[in-house]
Amino acid sequence: MRCLVLALAGLLAGTAALAQPQADGQWTMAARDHASTRFSPLAEVTPANAAQLQLAFSFPTGLSRGHEAAPIVAEDTMFIVGPYPNPLFALDLTKPGAPLKWRFDPKPHPSSQGVACCDTVNRGAAYDKGRLFFNTLDNQTIAVDAKTGKELWRTQLGDIKKGESMTMAPLVVKDKVLVGNAGGEFGVRGWLTALDAATGTIAWRAYSTGPDKDVLIGPDFKPFYKSDQGKDLGVTTWPSGMWKIGGGTVWGWVSYDAELDLVYYGTGNPGPWNPEQRPGDNKWTSGVFARKPDTGEAVWYYQLSPHDLHDYDAVNESILVDLDLQGSKRKVLLRPERNGYVYVMDRTTGQVLSATPFVHVTSSLGVDLQTGALKYNPAKDARMGETVRSICPASPGAKDWQPAAWSPRTRILYIPHQNLCQDASVYEASYIAGTPFVGADVKMYAGPGGHRGVFTAWDPVAARKVWEVKEDFPVWSGALVTAGDVVFYGTMDGWFKALDAKSGKELWKFKTDSGIIGQPVTYRGPDGKQYVAVLAGVGGWAGAIVSGRLDPRDGGAAAGFVNAMRDLPERTKAGGKLYVFALPGSGK
Amino acid sequence: MRLLALLAAVVVAPAFAQPIEALRTPPVKVHAPSDVLRVCADPDNLPYSRADGSGFENRIARLLAMDLGVDLQFAWLPDRRGFVRKTLGAGDCDVLIGVPAGFERVAPTRPYYRSSYAWVQREGAGEPPSSFDDPQLAGRRIGIQLIGDDQATSPPGFALARHAAGAHVVGFPIPGDKPAAQRIVEAIAAGELDAGIVWGPQAGYFAKRASVPMRVAPMAAPPDLARVQPFAFEIAVGVRRGEDALRQRVDEALVRHRAEIDTILAEYGVPRVEGTP
């Protein structure tokens, strides 16, 4: 019944309401809506009563790697994807304590653990028309029947032998499942692929490097800036043939605007070359694409970090909102970017309307709005044999994968992020696959102020911070905001917090057994009550020191992240567990 | 420097209400057993090691176990990023037969050989370049190994870029059906590449087995890069940091068997170089 309503809502797409509330309190995709707002219309929990939130039920996953998935809620059932080996759990929300309804084990190949760069995470499933879609670390996209847990189809999309893996959450758009790959540092060529939701057959694949025909660039491609215009730039902006293993993987977020009928997503950093070996802009890495979902054809592109020097992937979310800018209503996308700027872009054309630093930035000097060019700071260009200190932001960026939320009520962007800088200093001999090299010894540490994390409320119109909460550790969890004007996020030492969305005042917090790097969601239960759910289970690149049991004495481990996280093992421990909260009292 | 910071970290215990032991997940505490030599090795990375024991590091491991009068056990794992952490760090094994001297993630023994990156080409296809500024170099299709570590590169790849000779460089990533060095040598034999600059032990081994006669010539780093990106590296055995007793026993065994080790290395075609990088 409810399913039918939802399906109808899907058919009626194309209205002006971007972040179209779903027919009820469901949460069917990682960001809740195609606009990637992570805003829920539920308003039962408010600043006045949030302090009374209490644990309704919990569910241990039995896994110890990083838990980054968003719980998915549909058909009175909650669906959770775990880290490797990627089990899919279905919990029955109609029964007390939400017992396990079924469990699906995809059995990914064990070798896939060896190609994951930064912990064997998974960012969750997507629900559409009675089916769950999710990716496995060994490059399979799988469709499962939501009621029974029976496999409907599975498609092998990439090859672990080539260094490919998959960690992202799919997005379903017009009966197509959009998925992308990971593994840029291994010489993987990035792509976004659309699969037919009914059969799993590949409808189209758009590569991030190479000739126009591979990138699905045709006559309709109209990038806003000159630097992105020209034939076969995915070949000519690289030294001979390097595009073949050029990176630009698509392991982050995808958004969709039904009115413009455009899909938006970002591409990862160029790899696996040292910057000096790949002169040129290295298109189409570290940038954002707009494409037509039916054919994959590119409509525009903008390169956020041309010829990336600092591992600034551009895979962060594009949040689609309409803003009043200088007296006119603009359809924009907001990107709190790894390189340290919040970009406000016209999502029809790809024009950058503003780009404002939201952290301390030394690696660049601003964005030229005329040309769209990021102005690098040559003093922070890490050159072999030289010591470069205070590169800010560090390689994980001002903000990594952890998704921000937007409230149409407060008109504020809620950004979970980190405050880290790095030195590339002592160079030491290393040896991978029996091949010696001298590598930069990267050391990350807290940026100005000494705190490693921040939760920032940002006004994209005024291009300024409204309020912020400083956190000791990087805020590696997603953000959630509700119509009750409450915002939620978790910390790596295991606090799940509720703040007043307007003021940032802390309303409530709960201590979890393991640090939180998951994506909080909220839904209306079968009893009519509002619930808030989050997966705890520390890990990921930032938390690998715990989930991977790294030696805190080895500051260079996890690509230099361990140096900044030495004290995490004393503050939390590994272990995945779902926590679900609600206000006291029975539902309606 | 790093050690100093570590000592400081140990002294400053954070103040917690509950005993720290309840919260901490300590790194695995392991010590090498004294009745068995547990060696960490890649199951498919010739010439070093292979699951059938046919690599030269497998041979050296057998030699060491014999000398120490203990059984030999291998823990197999592909040598990728995180190899040290997932082998020595996890306590699955105690010895790495090949690490660069001065590699800080392990406690290395004294080096037992020194090799260098080498130019590989077909026999009779002209002369190897005289230097990185040789005008012919820029026009050649040259294969190099890629590292698979963000923004890290092999020293020859770096030298080619610095000397504007990187226009026709082809990178061979670690992942693939065969070792990258083998794929490079096969591409040279097939005429798809003019040459490769490959780490010596791999260059020598695969060139010896190539379908056409090959020439292998150790190369020196260009003078401007010799200090920061040398082409020659000393290779040692590595044990877990803090395992000084085991390191000493291995060190002594390496000295006792120097002649046999040299014979093994020669048999596998490992080019040896002397002197400074």
PDB file of all heavy atoms in Angstrom, chain A residues 155-178:
ATOM      1  N   THR A 155      25.828  -8.328 -10.810  1.00  0.00           N
ATOM      2  CA  THR A 155      26.637  -7.997 -11.980  1.00  0.00           C
ATOM      3  C   THR A 155      28.054  -7.675 -11.529  1.00  0.00           C
ATOM      4  O   THR A 155      28.260  -6.886 -10.610  1.00  0.00           O
ATOM      5  CB  THR A 155      26.046  -6.777 -12.721  1.00  0.00           C
ATOM      6  OG1 THR A 155      24.694  -7.077 -13.064  1.00  0.00           O
ATOM      7  CG2 THR A 155      26.828  -6.461 -13.984  1.00  0.00           C
ATOM      8  N   GLN A 156      29.019  -8.324 -12.182  1.00  0.00           N
ATOM      9  CA  GLN A 156      30.438  -8.047 -11.907  1.00  0.00           C
ATOM     10  C   GLN A 156      30.848  -6.837 -12.741  1.00  0.00           C
ATOM     11  O   GLN A 156      30.763  -6.872 -13.966  1.00  0.00           O
ATOM     12  CB  GLN A 156      31.284  -9.269 -12.284  1.00  0.00           C
ATOM     13  CG  GLN A 156      32.740  -9.154 -11.888  1.00  0.00           C
ATOM     14  CD  GLN A 156      32.955  -9.333 -10.390  1.00  0.00           C
ATOM     15  OE1 GLN A 156      32.414 -10.241  -9.778  1.00  0.00           O
ATOM     16  NE2 GLN A 156      33.750  -8.442  -9.794  1.00  0.00           N
ATOM     17  N   LEU A 157      31.295  -5.778 -12.061  1.00  0.00           N
ATOM     18  CA  LEU A 157      31.574  -4.532 -12.775  1.00  0.00           C
ATOM     19  C   LEU A 157      33.046  -4.210 -12.915  1.00  0.00           C
ATOM     20  O   LEU A 157      33.432  -3.426 -13.766  1.00  0.00           O
ATOM     21  CB  LEU A 157      30.892  -3.374 -12.042  1.00  0.00           C
ATOM     22  CG  LEU A 157      29.378  -3.410 -12.212  1.00  0.00           C
ATOM     23  CD1 LEU A 157      28.701  -2.776 -11.031  1.00  0.00           C
ATOM     24  CD2 LEU A 157      28.991  -2.707 -13.481  1.00  0.00           C
ATOM     25  N   GLY A 158      33.862  -4.757 -12.050  1.00  0.00           N
ATOM     26  CA  GLY A 158      35.282  -4.427 -12.101  1.00  0.00           C
ATOM     27  C   GLY A 158      36.104  -5.629 -11.692  1.00  0.00           C
ATOM     28  O   GLY A 158      35.554  -6.708 -11.435  1.00  0.00           O
ATOM     29  N   ASP A 159      37.420  -5.438 -11.603  1.00  0.00           N
ATOM     30  CA  ASP A 159      38.335  -6.550 -11.420  1.00  0.00           C
ATOM     31  C   ASP A 159      39.295  -6.233 -10.272  1.00  0.00           C
ATOM     32  O   ASP A 159      40.068  -5.280 -10.363  1.00  0.00           O
ATOM     33  CB  ASP A 159      39.099  -6.752 -12.742  1.00  0.00           C
ATOM     34  CG  ASP A 159      40.005  -7.973 -12.712  1.00  0.00           C
ATOM     35  OD1 ASP A 159      40.104  -8.607 -11.637  1.00  0.00           O
ATOM     36  OD2 ASP A 159      40.614  -8.281 -13.750  1.00  0.00           O
ATOM     37  N   ILE A 160      39.250  -7.045  -9.218  1.00  0.00           N
ATOM     38  CA  ILE A 160      40.184  -6.798  -8.112  1.00  0.00           C
ATOM     39  C   ILE A 160      41.624  -7.006  -8.567  1.00  0.00           C
ATOM     40  O   ILE A 160      42.530  -6.387  -8.035  1.00  0.00           O
ATOM     41  CB  ILE A 160      39.891  -7.671  -6.858  1.00  0.00           C
ATOM     42  CG1 ILE A 160      39.707  -9.148  -7.222  1.00  0.00           C
ATOM     43  CG2 ILE A 160      38.706  -7.157  -6.102  1.00  0.00           C
ATOM     44  CD1 ILE A 160      39.521 -10.048  -6.028  1.00  0.00           C
ATOM     45  N   LYS A 161      41.823  -7.832  -9.599  1.00  0.00           N
ATOM     46  CA  LYS A 161      43.187  -8.063 -10.107  1.00  0.00           C
ATOM     47  C   LYS A 161      43.780  -6.775 -10.655  1.00  0.00           C
ATOM     48  O   LYS A 161      44.992  -6.619 -10.725  1.00  0.00           O
ATOM     49  CB  LYS A 161      43.157  -9.125 -11.205  1.00  0.00           C
ATOM     50  CG  LYS A 161      43.162 -10.553 -10.678  1.00  0.00           C
ATOM     51  CD  LYS A 161      43.937 -11.446 -11.648  1.00  0.00           C
ATOM     52  CE  LYS A 161      44.030 -12.872 -11.165  1.00  0.00           C
ATOM     53  NZ  LYS A 161      42.806 -13.640 -11.456  1.00  0.00           N
ATOM     54  N   LYS A 162      42.913  -5.869 -11.111  1.00  0.00           N
ATOM     55  CA  LYS A 162      43.392  -4.574 -11.616  1.00  0.00           C
ATOM     56  C   LYS A 162      43.477  -3.527 -10.511  1.00  0.00           C
ATOM     57  O   LYS A 162      43.788  -2.372 -10.780  1.00  0.00           O
ATOM     58  CB  LYS A 162      42.449  -4.049 -12.692  1.00  0.00           C
ATOM     59  CG  LYS A 162      42.508  -4.777 -14.010  1.00  0.00           C
ATOM     60  CD  LYS A 162      41.705  -3.965 -15.036  1.00  0.00           C
ATOM     61  CE  LYS A 162      41.366  -4.762 -16.266  1.00  0.00           C
ATOM     62  NZ  LYS A 162      40.110  -4.226 -16.862  1.00  0.00           N
ATOM     63  N   GLY A 163      43.140  -3.911  -9.294  1.00  0.00           N
ATOM     64  CA  GLY A 163      43.191  -2.956  -8.195  1.00  0.00           C
ATOM     65  C   GLY A 163      41.869  -2.256  -7.935  1.00  0.00           C
ATOM     66  O   GLY A 163      41.787  -1.366  -7.104  1.00  0.00           O
ATOM     67  N   GLU A 164      40.826  -2.664  -8.655  1.00  0.00           N
ATOM     68  CA  GLU A 164      39.532  -2.014  -8.467  1.00  0.00           C
ATOM     69  C   GLU A 164      38.818  -2.549  -7.229  1.00  0.00           C
ATOM     70  O   GLU A 164      38.939  -3.724  -6.892  1.00  0.00           O
ATOM     71  CB  GLU A 164      38.624  -2.255  -9.682  1.00  0.00           C
ATOM     72  CG  GLU A 164      38.999  -1.433 -10.895  1.00  0.00           C
ATOM     73  CD  GLU A 164      38.096  -1.714 -12.084  1.00  0.00           C
ATOM     74  OE1 GLU A 164      38.183  -2.810 -12.650  1.00  0.00           O
ATOM     75  OE2 GLU A 164      37.316  -0.820 -12.434  1.00  0.00           O
ATOM     76  N   SER A 165      38.051  -1.674  -6.576  1.00  0.00           N
ATOM     77  CA  SER A 165      37.155  -2.104  -5.510  1.00  0.00           C
ATOM     78  C   SER A 165      35.942  -1.189  -5.548  1.00  0.00           C
ATOM     79  O   SER A 165      35.914  -0.219  -6.305  1.00  0.00           O
ATOM     80  CB  SER A 165      37.862  -2.036  -4.142  1.00  0.00           C
ATOM     81  OG  SER A 165      38.320  -0.728  -3.881  1.00  0.00           O
ATOM     82  N   MET A 166      34.924  -1.508  -4.751  1.00  0.00           N
ATOM     83  CA  MET A 166      33.735  -0.662  -4.682  1.00  0.00           C
ATOM     84  C   MET A 166      33.307  -0.486  -3.236  1.00  0.00           C
ATOM     85  O   MET A 166      33.183  -1.464  -2.501  1.00  0.00           O
ATOM     86  CB  MET A 166      32.596  -1.251  -5.523  1.00  0.00           C
ATOM     87  CG  MET A 166      32.801  -1.023  -7.021  1.00  0.00           C
ATOM     88  SD  MET A 166      31.634  -1.937  -8.050  1.00  0.00           S
ATOM     89  CE  MET A 166      30.217  -0.866  -7.986  1.00  0.00           C
ATOM     90  N   THR A 167      33.079   0.743  -2.858  1.00  0.00           N
ATOM     91  CA  THR A 167      32.700   1.060  -1.482  1.00  0.00           C
ATOM     92  C   THR A 167      31.477   1.973  -1.419  1.00  0.00           C
ATOM     93  O   THR A 167      30.909   2.178  -0.359  1.00  0.00           O
ATOM     94  CB  THR A 167      33.849   1.790  -0.765  1.00  0.00           C
ATOM     95  OG1 THR A 167      34.241   2.925  -1.561  1.00  0.00           O
ATOM     96  CG2 THR A 167      35.062   0.889  -0.584  1.00  0.00           C
ATOM     97  N   MET A 168      31.082   2.568  -2.555  1.00  0.00           N
ATOM     98  CA  MET A 168      30.055   3.609  -2.525  1.00  0.00           C
ATOM     99  C   MET A 168      28.642   3.035  -2.459  1.00  0.00           C
ATOM    100  O   MET A 168      28.423   1.863  -2.723  1.00  0.00           O
ATOM    101  CB  MET A 168      30.216   4.556  -3.721  1.00  0.00           C
ATOM    102  CG  MET A 168      30.168   3.902  -5.082  1.00  0.00           C
ATOM    103  SD  MET A 168      28.510   3.769  -5.818  1.00  0.00           S
ATOM    104  CE  MET A 168      28.293   5.433  -6.428  1.00  0.00           C
ATOM    105  N   ALA A 169      27.696   3.912  -2.072  1.00  0.00           N
ATOM    106  CA  ALA A 169      26.282   3.545  -2.047  1.00  0.00           C
ATOM    107  C   ALA A 169      25.686   3.881  -3.401  1.00  0.00           C
ATOM    108  O   ALA A 169      25.864   4.986  -3.904  1.00  0.00           O
ATOM    109  CB  ALA A 169      25.562   4.324  -0.945  1.00  0.00           C
ATOM    110  N   PRO A 170      24.960   2.937  -4.027  1.00  0.00           N
ATOM    111  CA  PRO A 170      24.347   3.233  -5.323  1.00  0.00           C
ATOM    112  C   PRO A 170      23.258   4.307  -5.196  1.00  0.00           C
ATOM    113  O   PRO A 170      22.743   4.551  -4.098  1.00  0.00           O
ATOM    114  CB  PRO A 170      23.692   1.900  -5.728  1.00  0.00           C
ATOM    115  CG  PRO A 170      24.199   0.873  -4.788  1.00  0.00           C
ATOM    116  CD  PRO A 170      24.640   1.590  -3.555  1.00  0.00           C
ATOM    117  N   LEU A 171      22.927   4.916  -6.323  1.00  0.00           N
ATOM    118  CA  LEU A 171      21.767   5.811  -6.375  1.00  0.00           C
ATOM    119  C   LEU A 171      20.869   5.306  -7.500  1.00  0.00           C
ATOM    120  O   LEU A 171      21.360   5.031  -8.609  1.00  0.00           O
ATOM    121  CB  LEU A 171      22.187   7.260  -6.644  1.00  0.00           C
ATOM    122  CG  LEU A 171      21.032   8.270  -6.526  1.00  0.00           C
ATOM    123  CD1 LEU A 171      20.715   8.551  -5.056  1.00  0.00           C
ATOM    124  CD2 LEU A 171      21.354   9.581  -7.237  1.00  0.00           C
ATOM    125  N   VAL A 172      19.573   5.164  -7.229  1.00  0.00           N
ATOM    126  CA  VAL A 172      18.644   4.703  -8.254  1.00  0.00           C
ATOM    127  C   VAL A 172      17.956   5.919  -8.861  1.00  0.00           C
ATOM    128  O   VAL A 172      17.358   6.733  -8.148  1.00  0.00           O
ATOM    129  CB  VAL A 172      17.589   3.728  -7.676  1.00  0.00           C
ATOM    130  CG1 VAL A 172      16.712   3.178  -8.803  1.00  0.00           C
ATOM    131  CG2 VAL A 172      18.276   2.593  -6.926  1.00  0.00           C
ATOM    132  N   VAL A 173      18.073   6.049 -10.175  1.00  0.00           N
ATOM    133  CA  VAL A 173      17.477   7.168 -10.906  1.00  0.00           C
ATOM    134  C   VAL A 173      16.749   6.608 -12.118  1.00  0.00           C
ATOM    135  O   VAL A 173      17.368   5.960 -12.976  1.00  0.00           O
ATOM    136  CB  VAL A 173      18.567   8.165 -11.369  1.00  0.00           C
ATOM    137  CG1 VAL A 173      17.988   9.207 -12.307  1.00  0.00           C
ATOM    138  CG2 VAL A 173      19.222   8.845 -10.173  1.00  0.00           C
ATOM    139  N   LYS A 174      15.432   6.821 -12.202  1.00  0.00           N
ATOM    140  CA  LYS A 174      14.652   6.403 -13.365  1.00  0.00           C
ATOM    141  C   LYS A 174      14.944   4.955 -13.765  1.00  0.00           C
ATOM    142  O   LYS A 174      15.296   4.670 -14.908  1.00  0.00           O
ATOM    143  CB  LYS A 174      14.913   7.339 -14.552  1.00  0.00           C
ATOM    144  CG  LYS A 174      14.453   8.777 -14.306  1.00  0.00           C
ATOM    145  CD  LYS A 174      15.035   9.752 -15.305  1.00  0.00           C
ATOM    146  CE  LYS A 174      14.275   9.780 -16.599  1.00  0.00           C
ATOM    147  NZ  LYS A 174      14.879  10.731 -17.563  1.00  0.00           N
ATOM    148  N   ASP A 175      14.828   4.059 -12.798  1.00  0.00           N
ATOM    149  CA  ASP A 175      15.023   2.622 -13.042  1.00  0.00           C
ATOM    150  C   ASP A 175      16.436   2.264 -13.498  1.00  0.00           C
ATOM    151  O   ASP A 175      16.653   1.228 -14.135  1.00  0.00           O
ATOM    152  CB  ASP A 175      13.992   2.087 -14.047  1.00  0.00           C
ATOM    153  CG  ASP A 175      12.588   2.157 -13.471  1.00  0.00           C
ATOM    154  OD1 ASP A 175      12.418   1.816 -12.278  1.00  0.00           O
ATOM    155  OD2 ASP A 175      11.672   2.593 -14.196  1.00  0.00           O
ATOM    156  N   LYS A 176      17.383   3.146 -13.170  1.00  0.00           N
ATOM    157  CA  LYS A 176      18.794   2.804 -13.400  1.00  0.00           C
ATOM    158  C   LYS A 176      19.535   2.894 -12.068  1.00  0.00           C
ATOM    159  O   LYS A 176      19.251   3.783 -11.255  1.00  0.00           O
ATOM    160  CB  LYS A 176      19.422   3.756 -14.416  1.00  0.00           C
ATOM    161  CG  LYS A 176      18.943   3.492 -15.836  1.00  0.00           C
ATOM    162  CD  LYS A 176      19.834   4.186 -16.849  1.00  0.00           C
ATOM    163  CE  LYS A 176      19.521   3.709 -18.254  1.00  0.00           C
ATOM    164  NZ  LYS A 176      18.121   4.001 -18.653  1.00  0.00           N
ATOM    165  N   VAL A 177      20.455   1.959 -11.865  1.00  0.00           N
ATOM    166  CA  VAL A 177      21.264   1.941 -10.650  1.00  0.00           C
ATOM    167  C   VAL A 177      22.634   2.503 -11.012  1.00  0.00           C
ATOM    168  O   VAL A 177      23.326   1.945 -11.863  1.00  0.00           O
ATOM    169  CB  VAL A 177      21.397   0.502 -10.102  1.00  0.00           C
ATOM    170  CG1 VAL A 177      22.134   0.510  -8.767  1.00  0.00           C
ATOM    171  CG2 VAL A 177      20.029  -0.149  -9.950  1.00  0.00           C
ATOM    172  N   LEU A 178      22.998   3.629 -10.368  1.00  0.00           N
ATOM    173  CA  LEU A 178      24.263   4.285 -10.688  1.00  0.00           C
ATOM    174  C   LEU A 178      25.321   3.884  -9.667  1.00  0.00           C
ATOM    175  O   LEU A 178      25.116   4.048  -8.459  1.00  0.00           O
ATOM    176  CB  LEU A 178      24.074   5.807 -10.685  1.00  0.00           C
ATOM    177  CG  LEU A 178      23.024   6.341 -11.665  1.00  0.00           C
ATOM    178  CD1 LEU A 178      22.838   7.837 -11.487  1.00  0.00           C
ATOM    179  CD2 LEU A 178      23.432   6.028 -13.101  1.00  0.00           C
TER     180      LEU A 178
END
